[in-house]
Amino acid sequence: MPLTYEQKIEWLKSYRALDTKIESLTEDLQVWNARATKITASISQEPKAAGSGDQLQRCIDQICELQTEIAQEMEKLRQRKQQIEVAIRALDDKRYRDLLWHRYIEGVSLALTAERMNRSWRWIQELHKEAVESIKIL
């Protein structure tokens, strides 16, 4: 069964959503790395600190989980980008390809895409609808 316009939009948006999720996970990883570094510094300064080893182990566990999740999400991101690129390149109309590339691969707004393509925002809106409706998702 063919996808609806809204489903195609969500599929196209999924690349940027995965990218945003990876950025968030990476920020979380930096926080946990900083915590682990802080705990390590306090352990070396106070060898008798109770529970510091448990805290460090918790940090290490969280860091490992985040690294695994980031790697999995990056693989999903790579695959989704490849799928979207293939679908965009398969379009016959260069205007459709350019518009969808700007919007969904580069993450550019329709207003900026209109500016880049030297067209009115209203024209880009109509072209966007046509482009999304014509895209074939495998």
Side-chain angles (χ1 to χ4, degrees), residues 110-123:
L110 285 180
L112 185 54
T113 299
E115 190 177 308
R116 285 184 176 182
M117 293 178 71
N118 251 355
R119 300 291 181 177
S120 72
W121 182 79
R122 187 167 297 216
W123 186 85

Side-chain angles (χ1 to χ4, degrees), residues 7-19:
Q7 289 170 324
K8 288 179 179 183
I9 292 288
E10 287 308 309
W11 182 78
L12 289 164
K13 285 181 176 179
S14 66
Y15 168 71
R16 303 300 310 169
L18 282 167
D19 194 43

Side-chain angles (χ1 to χ4, degrees), residues 80-123:
R80 182 52 49 95
K81 183 179 181 186
Q82 184 179 24
Q83 292 167 346
I84 292 171
E85 286 176 345
V86 166
I88 290 172
R89 286 187 185 122
L91 293 169
D92 291 331
D93 192 322
K94 181 179 179 345
R95 299 169 310 159
Y96 291 173
R97 291 191 306 266
D98 290 347
L99 188 152
L100 294 178
W101 188 271
H102 290 310
R103 181 72 186 112
Y104 297 105
I105 298 297
E106 295 176 354
V108 174
S109 70
L110 285 180
L112 185 54
T113 299
E115 190 177 308
R116 285 184 176 182
M117 293 178 71
N118 251 355
R119 300 291 181 177
S120 72
W121 182 79
R122 187 167 297 216
W123 186 85

Side-chain angles (χ1 to χ4, degrees), residues 43-55:
I43 290 173
S44 65
Q45 292 172 0
E46 300 177 25
K48 295 183 182 179
S52 294
D54 293 340
Q55 289 176 349

Side-chain angles (χ1 to χ4, degrees), residues 33-84:
N33 277 325
R35 286 180 185 166
T37 302
K38 185 176 179 182
I39 291 169
T40 304
S42 73
I43 290 173
S44 65
Q45 292 172 0
E46 300 177 25
K48 295 183 182 179
S52 294
D54 293 340
Q55 289 176 349
L56 182 58
Q57 187 59 50
R58 248 182 314 197
C59 285
I60 291 169
D61 292 344
Q62 190 64 35
I63 288 167
C64 290
E65 286 176 29
L66 283 167
Q67 287 174 331
T68 300
E69 188 175 358
I70 289 168
Q72 291 168 348
E73 293 300 315
M74 287 181 77
E75 180 56 24
K76 286 182 196 175
L77 179 72
R78 186 194 63 75
Q79 289 175 1
R80 182 52 49 95
K81 183 179 181 186
Q82 184 179 24
Q83 292 167 346
I84 292 171

